[in-house]
Amino acid sequence: MILMVGTGDATARQGHSPPRLKTYATWKMPWQLSLSSAASRAKGERTIVARLPKYGKVRGTRVALRYVFAPLPKTPGRNSLVRACRSTVAQSARKLGAVRIDAASAGPERRTRSGSVAKVGFRLIYASHNTRENYEVRQGVLTCRADRAGKIVDAYA
């Protein structure tokens, strides 16, 4: 299965070529949910290392570390994109070493001409790739776009 990720209407108008959609392989996880890096530091994100029960030494922002054991807050309203968007993010996150992926509605789903759009909150816990800490927790909200069939075509911060 190839997951198409990108923006645009999948139906071509007469005289126009269809939009170029990115394949899943070219979709890049937003820096807010990816492992902390020079990009996250350049955006002003500050991470710390804390010792947490069950996980040991964990790197993350103060907010992400404070709520790592709490369920993600759910925003009221219909949001049928949570499961599909979580699946899209999970494919990339697992390649980076994610051991836990939580997702919850961060806003009601809206219908658009080409499908639907909704905000989804995420918390990801990655196994650390260095010796200073055991895990890294990342938390953020993505806007997920789906086509009329409910397949995710884009997810961005």
Side-chain angles (χ1 to χ4, degrees):
M1 175 178 107
I2 295 178
L3 176 64
M4 301 302 285
V5 178
T7 59
D9 189 357
T11 60
R13 288 180 277 199
Q14 193 170 15
H16 297 280
S17 60
R20 294 183 202 188
L21 297 178
K22 301 178 209 174
T23 63
Y24 179 78
T26 62
W27 179 74
K28 190 170 181 173
M29 175 91 72
W31 67 267
Q32 293 89 341
L33 294 180
S34 192
L35 291 164
S36 62
S37 64
S40 58
R41 287 186 296 279
K43 300 283 185 183
E45 183 179 68
R46 301 233 185 257
T47 60
I48 60 171
V49 176
R51 190 173 293 279
L52 298 177
K54 181 181 172 185
Y55 290 107
K57 292 181 186 174
V58 181
R59 175 173 296 284
T61 63
R62 288 187 188 280
V63 171
L65 291 168
R66 183 176 302 143
Y67 297 106
V68 72
F69 296 113
L72 284 171
K74 294 179 185 174
T75 303
R78 180 179 177 271
N79 187 342
S80 64
L81 298 184
V82 173
R83 181 176 286 162
C85 195
R86 181 192 182 281
S87 178
T88 299
V89 169
Q91 288 179 8
S92 283
R94 285 192 186 107
K95 291 177 185 175
L96 296 173
V99 295
R100 187 172 126 197
I101 303 162
D102 298 331
S105 174
E109 181 178 339
R110 291 182 298 117
R111 295 282 177 197
T112 64
R113 238 185 266 155
S114 58
S116 57
V117 62
K119 292 189 180 283
V120 178
F122 286 94
R123 182 182 303 122
L124 293 93
I125 298 179
Y126 293 99
S128 183
H129 295 290
N130 67 49
T131 58
R132 291 185 302 270
E133 59 263 355
N134 305 96
Y135 295 95
E136 182 172 341
V137 62
R138 304 292 288 165
Q139 191 166 319
V141 176
L142 296 184
T143 298
C144 298
R145 292 189 176 278
D147 62 16
R148 290 183 179 173
K151 293 182 182 174
I152 301 299
V153 294
D154 201 2
Y156 54 90

